[in-house]
Amino acid sequence: MLAEVGLGALLLAFAAAFYALLAAVGAGLRNRDDWLLSARNAALLTFPLLLCSASALLLALLNGHCQISYVWSVTDPTTPSFYRFTALWGSQQGSLLFWSLLLSLYCFSAILLSWREHRRLMPGVIAVTMATLAFFLALSLLLENPFERFWLAADGTVLRDVFIPAGARAPDLERLAATANGLNPLLRHFGMIIHPPMLYLGFTGFVIPFAFALAALASGDLSAAWIRATRRWTLLAWMFLGLGLLLGGRWAYDVLGWGGYWGWDPVENAALLPWLTGTAFLHSVLIQEKRGMLRLWNMLLVIFAFSAVLFGTFATRSGLIESVHSFARSDIGFPLFAFWSVMTLVALGLTLWRQRQGLLRDERAFAGLLGRESLFVLNNIVFAALFIAIFWGSFGAPLVSEVLLDAPITLGVDYYRQVTPPLFALLFLMMGLAPLAAWGNSSLRRMGAGLRAPLLLTMPLLALLALAGMRTPVALLAYGLVTLAGMVALVEIVRGARARVRAWGEAWPQALRALFSRNRGRYGGYVVHLGVTVIGIGVIGSTLFQAETQRTLARGESLTLQNYELRYEGFSQALASDGRLLRVAAVTLSREGREIATLRPRIDVFPQQPMTIAGIHSSAENDVYVLLTGHSETGARATFRLTINPLINFVWWGGLLLLAGTLIAAWPHGASVAARRQDSALQEAQA
Amino acid sequence: MKWILPALVLSLLTLPALAQPPSDDEVNEVAARLYCPVCENVPLDDCETAACRQWKAEIRHQLDAGQSPRAIIDDFVARFGQQVVGTPTDPTLRALALVTPWALALGALLPGALLLRRWARQRKAASPLQDAPEAQDAQDDYRARVEADLRARR
């Protein structure tokens, strides 16, 4: 029954999306308001329908309806309820449905919230969002149907089909359950309940700015309206994608057992590319809002951000890349590639057409090379260069060398460590300088004056680091740039609050609250800069100063790394309730002769594969990360890999600051909410 | 002097036996520069598949036989191709991998430079009178709002 309900709702959602697409295109071409209203209603209907469909699949997962082949492939009778929930996005079919559900949620919210204010853009917005949704729903219906079931043919063969084949019957459910696969061990982690939804919320969210941009291009209304309508959506999508990336890093750190959080894997990079483009857009859009400049560039950034989302989806789901993060090889590769190409080419074609008509011309002329506009342009160029370098390393070089030179290559961490650091250094430099430059024009003297306080705060920190023994010039330069960028943000916040304290005699907490509530975008942005600074401190520390050693120890023996000593105490084996065999080592960690922790690194042996779960002693200073990489039959001898990751927790703490800053920046301004309420009341009174 | 020759012979005979076998860290140092033959994009030192364990055992064997890390990596590349290393060792492929992104980035820089040049020209063409309000416009929204609030308080 659940399969029928889920499939029916999925079919209806596709029909509604397709109808909304046609009606919206018709409404746009013939200027028919009644068609537009009908398109809107159909588009709004897709969300509750997909919620119904996803709920049916979730119920089937929770209740073990393993006649549905998706349920059979991602759960088994021992799977705990928690992981049955995460199994909704644990494999291709379920995650595609979940993807469509989130996409429809964005469409639902954006159409409802922007309906009155941006009515002129609505035909285009509905057409683009519904075309995207209809495409993904078609993939679910035709190629990766999550409601496909097992059937037993008359001759005893097991068939997989959405509908019951002639002469077939339902198989014995108990026998089916006994052969069920269970969830991929890599996905049995608390982080998996948050990481994929965040990532998908980030990916799907970029459809809204893309839809508004295309609607603006199609309608010819290339005023700042589409920018105003989409900035907050971009910020939201950007925040979710950033959180998804950070949570993915944490998952890799905890589950993949290699002591790091970012391996420059092509699938990780595929998610980073739209985030980089989104970051560039969030900066350059300010120039369009405030100065009416970079209109063509902003249009291209929005297009490339969504194009990168579609390409990343194609790369991850088609089997183009083999990775721990990607889905298995699938038939959806070609349709996804075709959809990505068509959407990108149509968007670029429309942009070129409007550019030739002069509709994307800047409104204002440039005022000076040291103005904030110029620094933002430079910042965007660096983002573009970073995008190119990462895209080239992940997809370009491997494809070109294999197709043209018949020599398959892999570009790994070595490549990214050679190419990306200068670009990241430039980005931090821009992050420090741009807030000090004024719109229009600025002078070196003004910027120098602005830099004085941040520099005075940065220099003693660097001196302290040098005195503490850090003599690597690269590390000092990196910490100098990162800290300077953070200090600029901090000083700007203090400067703004002090102005209020001096002018109005406000207390500091009150001044800070007022400062943030009066200009959320600017000061939220500074908090984001602080978050990025803290992440930068963590990345530099854990990359440049990571220390590692590996040794095989007999019980009672120990190994030493820096001022830490690890002693092997004992070994045990146990069977967990979900069927995995746990091989656990007990080790004592001491620092300078003092015992500080007992850790239990372990190997979880699943039927599919073993997993190495680290024992971690965490502090602000560093993480001591212990892996059990092997052992003798009885556990008399075991091999340990000990890694010290300095400052790694700054990466996660910076993520929290980034989240806080984005929420501040995206939060609706109190005054505008009140104004909107007044407007609505006025409209109702007039009606 | 009599004892020097026998001592030399003895030390030469016992040296290989006394030589330390390669440590896990030495093996991992080489393995970190090679990529897993089974799981793509995973460095060998981080991978615990059977194939990787076999490769690591081979690295250990070659180190034990006195091979240098460079020679071991070259041997793996010769046998399995350029995809076993994180950056190609072949000069052409290495240049393709490392030079192209910079060339492409310069390509991205060019439109930016052209845009700045166009802006600079537009600015020169504009009259000083037109520029004056631009410079004043350096004050941002926030400052304008603070000043409006201050005026209202007065």
Side-chain angles (χ1 to χ4, degrees):
Chain A
M1 184 62 185
L2 281 173
E4 281 87 354
V5 170
L7 184 66
L10 190 63
L11 263 167
L12 285 173
F14 172 76
F18 195 66
Y19 169 77
L21 162 67
L22 295 179
V25 170
L29 290 175
R30 301 204 171 177
N31 212 11
R32 293 279 300 267
D33 219 35
D34 51 342
W35 288 9
L36 182 61
L37 206 63
S38 180
R40 182 196 74 163
N41 294 341
L44 292 178
L45 192 63
T46 57
F47 173 61
L49 284 169
L50 284 172
L51 193 61
C52 174
S53 182
S55 302
L57 187 60
L58 190 61
L59 278 174
L61 285 163
L62 290 171
N63 294 303
H65 285 238
C66 56
Q67 194 197 347
I68 299 174
S69 79
Y70 182 75
V71 176
W72 177 86
S73 68
V74 292
T75 60
D76 62 25
T78 62
T79 307
S81 301
F82 175 76
Y83 291 130
R84 286 176 184 274
F85 191 81
T86 61
L88 180 62
W89 46 82
S91 195
Q92 183 85 278
Q93 296 94 336
S95 80
L96 262 181
L97 177 62
F98 185 58
W99 172 283
S100 299
L101 173 70
L102 296 180
L103 190 63
S104 69
L105 172 64
Y106 270 115
C107 301
F108 184 86
S109 315
I111 292 168
L112 271 188
L113 290 173
S114 302
W115 177 252
R116 278 190 185 164
E117 203 180 338
H118 302 286
R119 185 75 164 254
R120 199 175 161 199
L121 297 176
M122 277 301 131
V125 171
I126 295 175
V128 174
T129 52
M130 289 301 115
T132 311
L133 184 61
F135 169 77
F136 278 98
L137 291 177
L139 289 184
S140 280
L141 282 168
L142 301 173
L143 298 172
E144 295 289 352
N145 199 311
F147 297 105
E148 203 176 54
R149 281 169 286 179
F150 288 113
W151 303 101
L152 206 59
D155 62 358
T157 51
V158 178
L159 308 167
R160 265 187 221 205
D161 212 325
V162 176
F163 301 107
I164 182 165
R169 60 185 169 83
D172 177 41
L173 291 183
E174 276 184 20
R175 280 186 65 192
L176 258 182
T179 59
N181 275 343
L183 189 63
N184 181 340
L186 289 174
L187 306 181
R188 299 181 199 197
H189 181 262
F190 181 77
M192 287 314 286
I193 203 163
I194 315 171
H195 159 60
M198 291 292 124
L199 210 58
Y200 293 178
L201 275 168
F203 270 155
T204 51
F206 278 105
V207 77
I208 303 298
F210 178 76
F212 272 94
L214 253 63
L217 285 169
S219 67
D221 177 7
L222 286 154
S223 60
W226 78 271
I227 289 279
R228 273 200 311 275
T230 60
R231 191 158 170 253
R232 201 157 278 148
W233 291 108
T234 314
L235 206 54
L236 209 62
W238 178 85
M239 178 189 78
F240 282 127
L241 192 53
L243 278 178
L245 288 167
L246 276 168
L247 287 166
R250 183 71 218 198
W251 167 77
Y253 187 63
D254 287 344
V255 169
L256 297 185
W258 55 277
Y261 47 87
W262 190 263
W264 292 107
D265 177 289
V267 175
E268 292 171 350
N269 296 345
L272 181 64
L273 292 174
W275 188 84
L276 288 175
T277 321
T279 316
F281 174 70
L282 286 171
H283 285 91
S284 70
V285 77
L286 287 172
I287 303 177
Q288 184 166 345
E289 276 182 349
K290 301 218 181 247
R291 314 285 292 169
M293 300 161 88
L294 295 185
R295 299 173 73 192
L296 174 64
W297 177 245
N298 281 327
M299 189 58 80
L300 290 175
L301 281 180
V302 167
I303 292 169
F304 281 121
F306 188 63
S307 181
V309 164
L310 288 179
F311 183 83
T313 312
F314 156 70
T316 318
R317 292 174 180 272
S318 62
L320 176 75
I321 303 163
E322 280 183 31
S323 155
V324 285
H325 304 277
S326 62
F327 292 90
R329 195 169 287 275
S330 161
D331 292 338
I332 66 175
F334 178 73
L336 265 172
F337 183 80
F339 185 70
W340 165 67
S341 312
V342 167
M343 289 301 257
T344 308
L345 287 175
V346 165
L348 290 178
L350 277 172
T351 309
L352 192 67
W353 175 46
R354 291 303 191 189
Q355 167 68 4
R356 287 198 170 171
Q357 289 180 337
L359 292 180
L360 288 168
R361 202 170 290 148
D362 292 346
E363 290 164 14
R364 204 186 283 239
F366 161 79
L369 269 172
L370 286 174
R372 199 178 282 186
E373 299 93 316
S374 308
L375 292 176
F376 273 27
V377 167
L378 285 176
N379 148 304
N380 269 234
I381 290 169
V382 181
F383 271 114
L386 203 53
F387 182 101
I388 290 167
I390 296 172
F391 183 85
W392 175 252
S394 313
F395 309 105
L399 280 175
V400 167
S401 66
E402 184 157 4
V403 174
L404 299 182
L405 304 171
D406 195 25
I409 59 169
T410 305
L411 293 187
V413 179
D414 294 355
Y415 163 81
Y416 296 99
R417 287 198 179 159
Q418 287 178 68
V419 174
T420 59
L423 297 171
F424 279 117
L426 274 173
L427 277 183
F428 275 102
L429 184 68
M430 295 293 157
M431 208 169 101
L433 294 181
L436 302 173
W439 293 112
N441 201 0
S442 195
S443 64
L444 278 177
R445 184 182 291 177
R446 182 192 159 117
M447 287 178 72
L451 265 179
R452 207 173 299 142
L455 270 175
L456 282 174
L457 289 165
T458 304
M459 294 316 277
L461 274 173
L462 288 183
L464 271 177
L465 285 175
L467 281 175
M470 187 192 287
R471 299 287 153 78
T472 324
V474 172
L476 285 172
L477 178 71
Y479 272 124
L481 281 173
V482 168
T483 314
L484 182 69
M487 288 302 175
V488 166
L490 203 62
V491 167
E492 284 297 301
I493 293 172
V494 172
R495 201 177 274 167
R498 196 177 54 193
R500 296 189 68 93
V501 169
R502 282 186 179 166
W504 300 338
E506 289 176 345
W508 273 91
Q510 189 190 358
L512 278 169
R513 199 172 55 237
L515 191 74
F516 277 92
S517 63
R518 300 302 295 273
N519 201 335
R520 295 186 201 282
R522 177 174 179 166
Y523 290 97
Y526 286 150
V527 176
V528 170
H529 280 197
L530 281 174
V532 174
T533 298
V534 174
I535 292 174
I537 289 170
V539 170
I540 296 167
S542 57
T543 309
L544 291 182
F545 300 105
Q546 188 184 56
E548 196 171 77
T549 189
Q550 180 174 311
R551 259 187 67 190
T552 301
L553 303 175
R555 279 183 204 182
E557 277 187 344
S558 44
L559 69 86
T560 308
L561 180 64
Q562 292 178 351
N563 49 357
Y564 288 94
E565 188 187 71
L566 185 84
R567 194 171 66 244
Y568 177 33
E569 305 288 2
F571 181 83
S572 59
Q573 298 197 58
L575 201 64
S577 58
D578 59 358
R580 78 200 134 124
L581 176 66
L582 307 176
R583 294 174 176 169
V584 189
V587 293
T588 308
L589 186 70
S590 308
R591 187 177 190 181
E592 287 155 1
R594 193 171 57 87
E595 259 186 41
I596 54 170
T598 301
L599 302 176
R600 297 186 187 282
R602 64 175 205 266
I603 298 174
D604 289 3
V605 186
F606 290 91
Q608 299 95 328
Q609 65 187 99
M611 277 177 63
T612 318
I613 307 293
I616 305 174
H617 175 66
S618 217
S619 67
E621 185 190 349
N622 59 31
D623 267 12
V624 181
Y625 187 95
V626 184
L627 286 171
L628 170 66
T629 59
H631 57 83
S632 63
E633 192 79 17
T634 57
R637 292 174 70 78
T639 306
F640 296 96
R641 190 162 165 183
L642 172 63
T643 309
I644 295 171
N645 286 319
L647 303 177
I648 196 166
N649 289 305
F650 280 61
V651 176
W652 324 123
W653 299 336
L656 291 177
L657 266 177
L658 193 121
L659 171 68
T662 317
L663 286 175
I664 291 170
W667 207 259
H669 202 279
S672 63
V673 170
R676 215 177 292 146
R677 278 191 195 138
Q678 279 178 350
D679 284 352
S680 315
L682 192 66
Q683 279 172 1
E684 276 168 23
Q686 282 170 344
Chain B
M1 287 298 281
K2 277 186 201 168
W3 54 270
I4 289 180
L5 192 63
L8 203 64
V9 171
L10 189 70
S11 63
L12 281 173
L13 286 172
T14 53
L15 208 59
L18 292 174
Q20 291 284 316
S23 68
D24 286 357
D25 288 346
E26 286 166 325
V27 173
N28 279 343
E29 204 183 317
V30 180
R33 290 150 73 187
L34 292 168
Y35 275 75
C36 171
V38 179
C39 336
E40 280 184 34
N41 302 305
V42 181
L44 198 58
D45 63 326
D46 294 331
C47 194
E48 292 299 328
T49 60
C52 280
R53 281 175 182 271
Q54 203 181 330
W55 274 30
K56 279 187 264 194
E58 198 176 330
I59 293 170
R60 189 182 296 277
H61 179 71
Q62 291 198 24
L63 280 172
D64 208 13
Q67 293 284 327
S68 70
R70 182 75 265 160
I72 297 171
I73 289 167
D74 287 344
D75 175 56
F76 272 85
V77 169
R79 283 155 57 201
F80 301 102
Q82 291 287 338
Q83 72 264 41
V84 299
V85 277
T87 316
T89 52
D90 174 78
T92 314
L93 291 172
R94 194 175 175 81
L96 174 83
L98 293 175
V99 177
T100 314
W102 293 110
L104 292 172
L106 281 176
L109 194 71
L110 200 65
L114 289 174
L115 180 71
L116 289 178
R117 203 174 129 211
R118 202 178 77 198
W119 280 358
R121 280 186 182 166
Q122 283 169 348
R123 188 184 177 229
K124 273 185 192 162
S127 73
L129 282 175
Q130 276 175 310
D131 269 8
E134 292 279 318
Q136 283 173 5
D137 200 31
Q139 295 168 345
D140 55 32
D141 289 352
Y142 176 70
R143 191 175 296 175
R145 223 182 289 167
V146 169
E147 280 173 3
D149 284 348
L150 283 171
R151 273 199 299 276
R153 285 216 166 192
R154 280 181 208 133

